[in-house]
Amino acid sequence: MATAPSVSCLPHNAKMSKAKKVLDEAREIQNPELDLFDKNVSTFEEMTGLLNMTYITRLTLSHNAIKSVPPGLANLSNLEIINLANNQIEELPLSLSSMPKLRILNLSINKLYSLPRGFGAFPVLEVLDLTYNNLKEDALPGNFFLMGTLRALYLGDNDFEYLPPEIKNLKNLEILGLRENDLLELPKEIGELTRLKELHLQGNRLTFLPPDLGQLDMSSNKAAFRLEGNKWIPPIADQLQLGISHLQDYLKSETYRITYNRCLTNKPEAPPPCEGKPKKTCRTR
Amino acid sequence: MMNPRDASPKIPVLGAIENSLLAQRRASKGSKDDINSSYYQYEVYDNVPLTPLNNAPLSLKQNLESPIQPSKLTWVVNLASMSRDNMLCSKCGEGFEPQEKIVNSTGQLWHQQCFVCAQCFREFADGVFYEYDGRKYCEHDFHVLFAPCCQKCGGFIIGRVIKAMNASWHAECFLCEMCKQELADTGFIKNSGRALCHECNAKVKARGLGKYICHKCHAMIDDQPLKFRGEVYHPYHFNCSTCGVELDANAREVRNRPGLAKNDTNELYCLRCHDKMGVPICGACRRPIEERVVTALGKHWHVEHFVCAKCEKPFFGHRHYEKKGLAYCETHYHQLFGNLCHHCNQVIAGDVFTALNKAWCVHHFACSVCDQKMNQKTKFYECDLKPVCKKCYEKFPKELRNRLRRQHEAAPRRAPTPVE
Ligand SMILES: [Zn+2]
Ligand SMILES: [Zn+2]
Ligand SMILES: [Zn+2]
Ligand SMILES: [Zn+2]
Ligand SMILES: [Zn+2]
Ligand SMILES: [Zn+2]
Ligand SMILES: [Zn+2]
Ligand SMILES: [Zn+2]
């Protein structure tokens, strides 16, 4: 039976009351999971008392208009999940990276051009979603690839042209999303991510792959290696046509090792930047 | 009614049986059985009443020598040729009337009324009587007064009497105390107050020496015994079921019907034939498996050799998971092949919700953007193989949706049903 939502007695201040109501209710029942998505929130100040609710384990603020995150958010030290998807965030406080229990951080569809220095210090972070931002390789902090606990790193819809070889340090990485960046080349170190089972490379400017990729289990039923929308050299394109297991065999072959070495010294012509990307809404300041 | 005068039977004492002629004759013939020195001698004598033959003369003389053989009287009806003048009744000493019936038994003569049971003074039915200590008794009184009682059942012993262990027994009541086999014909051995058959006695003796007795030849087994169908034997009594070679203690007993407790179809093989004949070989150590066999991955394994391919700990009957010809413990299977929940990163205990190349605990499957739980009926989109609910997807930037649609033809899809 659906219960009629209690009618707000402050219809003129709907924007405030929506978030406030959730917070009041959550405080009353000590709900550790806070759903504040799509509540027209633009600043943390609007969410009175939120930063005192230290017992909460999940904070979902997606589909709001938040521009900045206060360092004090890190005081909610029981948080395991912070979801800030689809906001207007341009900058993040370093303090988040010291949150002791934070496992899942969703910052997708925001306006990040960079991450704060030292941002890779997260002690237990497992899933970091940075899809649909404006990040590129030189916008990453130096310790970014030291997040050894990371299982999933989503960097799709960003502006990476190269992936730093330090990627190999993410030993536990199972999912790497790089869909629709400007990638021209992948480091051979990607072959050292032995637990990788999902690799999203669609819509980049790649022409060849490191042979080391063939060492990964690309064709199991749990694996998803997405390679469409690149300007592959003909032998790779041909094998891809036949199927991912054919490509994997080919990448491991002696023939390809020679081809690869030739590609390294005599780079194939780079395709132009992807179309449509400049219109990304997150680029509009 | 008894006549107290001359029928008061003293409590009869059967003469020592060794003194009986029958026993002496048997003993003098020498034992026909090859009885070894530890054999305890006992006596058997017959106590079978003779059924009277039709007018048969009393020719079975030897039977009369035994005090407990019945005798048959002979009627002397017509003694016309003989003078009755000198004939006197053995009982009363009187003469006989001219036409009177005279009883003649073993050369003595009686009046018919004097030839009666010393106990009940009745004539002998069918002329059968038993003589003891100079007196004659009817069958009934003889048994009551003198026939031995069985030590076991307490009944009179008519017929064969087994005298052993300082008592009398029916043949069918004198049994080996261990195996209950009749001992009358096989002889027995006294072992700490018990009557035992040879076999049982040998077993008891061997047990005391820590040895076995062969179930076939009943001799002690000095070397290694061969166990077969639950008994122990000298190995040399058997030959290999395949090549026929005489077996030694290394022979192998093979269960023809695995899993059945009954062992009466088991067969014996020499070690060489045994190793050749499909006895399971451990997939790890390549040695035959004599004990419990684990069958997995299309191979057989010693229980302690069937181990996780990652941590190499034996499963010992715990659940294992197979993948590409290898077996893994639960922890390592999930670590390596992931039925870990994508959300909580724990092994999924209950129902598994699989979608988008991932698995979730049923209650952890949620929209990746708004974190709201979804179920089998919720329609969702995928973006980079992450589930996105319809509401969230519609809030994505329009140009992103366009690109995703172009790329994936992102039709709303139904979440698959949870799988075990
Ligand atoms: Zn009588
Ligand atoms: Zn008896
Ligand atoms: Zn016995
Ligand atoms: Zn034997
Ligand atoms: Zn073995
Ligand atoms: Zn293991
Ligand atoms: Zn879970
Ligand atoms: Zn959603």
Side-chain angles (χ1 to χ4, degrees), chain B residues 219-234:
Chain B
M220 201 181 299
I221 305 169
D222 286 320
D223 299 321
Q224 283 292 314
L226 176 62
K227 285 198 177 125
F228 179 50
R229 298 186 186 175
E231 303 286 354
V232 285
Y233 298 90
H234 290 112

Side-chain angles (χ1 to χ4, degrees), chain B residues 353-358 360 365 374-382 386-390 409-419:
Chain B
F353 199 105
T354 52
L356 310 176
N357 289 50
K358 298 175 187 67
W360 282 267
F365 184 64
M374 300 198 287
N375 61 34
Q376 296 96 308
K377 291 175 186 148
T378 317
K379 287 176 176 177
F380 66 90
Y381 293 76
E382 66 103 350
K386 293 173 289 182
V388 179
C389 76
K390 195 160 178 283
E409 296 169 1
R413 60 171 84 180
R414 229 180 173 163
T417 47
V419 292

Side-chain angles (χ1 to χ4, degrees), chain B residues 6-7 9 58 64 67 69-74 90-91 103-111 114-124 127-143 145-146:
Chain B
D6 69 333
L58 228 174
L64 293 170
Q69 289 306 310
S71 306
K72 179 92 168 64
L73 58 88
T74 331
S90 296
K91 174 95 183 282
V103 180
N104 173 3
S105 175
T106 59
Q108 290 181 297
L109 304 174
W110 286 270
H111 293 112
C114 286
F115 192 71
V116 292
C117 172
Q119 183 73 6
C120 67
F121 304 109
R122 272 178 272 195
E123 291 183 24
F124 302 107
V128 174
F129 64 92
Y130 293 76
E131 213 168 0
Y132 185 74
D133 206 14
R135 292 183 195 144
K136 299 179 174 61
Y137 298 89
C138 69
E139 177 165 5
H140 174 258
D141 286 321
F142 178 79
H143 285 149
L145 293 172
F146 308 117

Side-chain angles (χ1 to χ4, degrees), chain A residues 73-74 79-82 84 92-107 115-130 141 143-150 153 170:
Chain A
L73 180 60
L79 276 177
E80 294 180 29
I81 300 167
I82 299 177
L84 289 160
L92 287 168
L94 174 62
S95 61
L96 291 190
S97 65
S98 62
M99 295 182 74
K101 296 184 180 174
L102 192 64
R103 295 193 305 112
I104 299 176
L105 177 58
N106 192 336
L107 293 162
L115 297 172
R117 280 186 69 187
F119 197 66
F122 293 94
V124 294
L125 195 65
E126 295 176 15
V127 179
L128 177 57
D129 195 338
L130 290 163
N143 63 349
F144 188 82
F145 294 106
L146 297 179
M147 293 185 281
T149 54
L150 218 51
L153 175 59
L170 301 180

Side-chain angles (χ1 to χ4, degrees), chain A residues 35-255:
Chain A
D35 285 313
L36 285 164
F37 61 93
D38 200 15
K39 294 286 181 281
N40 268 324
V41 178
S42 358
T43 66
F44 272 73
E45 287 76 57
E46 294 168 37
M47 298 175 286
T48 322
L50 169 68
L51 300 186
N52 296 322
M53 296 166 73
T54 50
Y55 56 89
I56 61 170
T57 60
R58 173 167 67 78
L59 176 60
T60 300
L61 283 163
S62 28
H63 307 306
N64 283 299
I66 298 167
K67 280 195 165 73
S68 76
V69 177
L73 180 60
N75 293 334
L76 301 179
S77 58
N78 281 303
L79 276 177
E80 294 180 29
I81 300 167
I82 299 177
N83 196 333
L84 289 160
N86 197 18
N87 275 281
Q88 312 283 329
I89 300 166
E90 295 177 13
E91 259 183 296
L92 287 168
L94 174 62
S95 61
L96 291 190
S97 65
S98 62
M99 295 182 74
K101 296 184 180 174
L102 192 64
R103 295 193 305 112
I104 299 176
L105 177 58
N106 192 336
L107 293 162
S108 65
I109 318 181
N110 274 289
K111 297 189 170 182
L112 293 167
Y113 277 86
S114 68
L115 297 172
R117 280 186 69 187
F119 197 66
F122 293 94
V124 294
L125 195 65
E126 295 176 15
V127 179
L128 177 57
D129 195 338
L130 290 163
T131 308
Y132 209 86
N133 277 284
N134 302 307
L135 299 169
K136 55 175 93 174
E137 51 275 18
D138 54 16
L140 298 179
N143 63 349
F144 188 82
F145 294 106
L146 297 179
M147 293 185 281
T149 54
L150 218 51
R151 288 189 284 124
L153 175 59
Y154 294 99
L155 295 170
D157 276 319
N158 276 286
D159 301 320
F160 286 89
E161 290 192 353
Y162 294 95
L163 187 65
E166 289 78 29
I167 187 80
K168 69 176 180 188
N169 296 324
L170 301 180
K171 291 280 180 231
N172 282 303
L173 206 62
E174 296 170 17
I175 300 169
L176 178 56
L178 289 163
R179 175 187 49 80
E180 294 185 284
N181 276 266
D182 286 309
L183 289 173
L184 293 162
E185 216 177 304
L186 285 179
K188 66 174 169 46
E189 286 78 7
I190 202 165
E192 293 179 39
L193 300 176
T194 52
R195 303 185 71 173
L196 202 64
K197 57 193 173 89
E198 247 183 62
L199 180 58
H200 302 265
L201 292 171
Q202 314 96 302
N204 278 284
R205 298 157 69 192
L206 296 166
T207 48
F208 61 100
L209 290 164
D212 315 71
L213 208 56
Q215 302 307 315
L216 302 179
D217 188 5
M218 303 168 75
S219 51
S220 95
N221 63 337
K222 280 256 159 76
F225 281 68
R226 301 259 165 110
L227 305 170
E228 313 86 61
N230 286 283
K231 280 258 164 24
W232 299 116
I233 55 171
I236 289 183
D238 290 349
Q239 296 300 323
L240 204 50
Q241 198 89 51
L242 293 171
I244 196 79
S245 60
H246 287 83
L247 175 65
Q248 186 176 7
D249 289 342
Y250 175 64
L251 293 180
K252 287 192 275 191
S253 72
E254 181 62 20
T255 322

Side-chain angles (χ1 to χ4, degrees), chain B residues 200-384:
Chain B
C200 291
N201 180 66
K203 272 186 207 166
V204 169
K205 235 162 95 185
R207 213 172 293 153
L209 294 170
K211 303 232 168 171
Y212 291 100
I213 290 299
C214 172
H215 191 67
K216 187 181 171 80
C217 70
H218 309 306
M220 201 181 299
I221 305 169
D222 286 320
D223 299 321
Q224 283 292 314
L226 176 62
K227 285 198 177 125
F228 179 50
R229 298 186 186 175
E231 303 286 354
V232 285
Y233 298 90
H234 290 112
Y236 53 71
H237 293 305
F238 298 94
N239 296 84
C240 172
S241 298
T242 301
C243 71
V245 75
E246 185 183 294
L247 295 178
D248 58 23
N250 289 322
R252 293 285 190 264
E253 181 172 13
V254 171
R255 216 170 258 287
N256 280 338
R257 293 179 292 178
L260 282 180
K262 257 174 92 92
N263 59 9
D264 54 9
T265 59
N266 291 6
E267 304 217 69
L268 286 169
Y269 298 88
C270 72
L271 200 54
R272 270 183 57 201
C273 290
H274 176 264
D275 286 353
K276 276 189 277 183
M277 55 175 280
V279 168
I281 298 293
C282 173
C285 70
R286 312 304 310 163
R287 291 177 52 80
I289 305 166
E290 309 289 352
E291 308 85 23
R292 252 180 76 203
V293 180
V294 178
T295 304
L297 303 166
K299 288 178 187 163
H300 302 294
W301 313 85
H302 286 112
V303 178
E304 65 276 18
H305 289 162
F306 184 50
V307 300
C308 168
K310 176 83 178 167
C311 68
E312 303 192 333
K313 286 189 187 128
F315 299 113
F316 287 132
H318 289 283
R319 197 159 163 192
H320 75 274
Y321 298 79
E322 299 183 3
K323 175 96 173 175
K324 294 189 175 171
L326 296 173
Y328 299 87
C329 67
E330 174 157 341
T331 307
H332 288 118
Y333 179 80
H334 288 302
Q335 195 188 87
L336 294 168
F337 309 110
N339 257 352
L340 293 175
C341 170
H342 177 67
H343 178 87
C344 67
N345 201 29
Q346 304 293 308
V347 172
I348 301 169
D351 283 348
V352 179
F353 199 105
T354 52
L356 310 176
N357 289 50
K358 298 175 187 67
W360 282 267
C361 310
V362 165
H363 61 283
H364 279 159
F365 184 64
C367 168
S368 64
V369 179
C370 67
D371 296 322
Q372 299 308 291
K373 310 259 180 293
M374 300 198 287
N375 61 34
Q376 296 96 308
K377 291 175 186 148
T378 317
K379 287 176 176 177
F380 66 90
Y381 293 76
E382 66 103 350
C383 174
D384 294 334

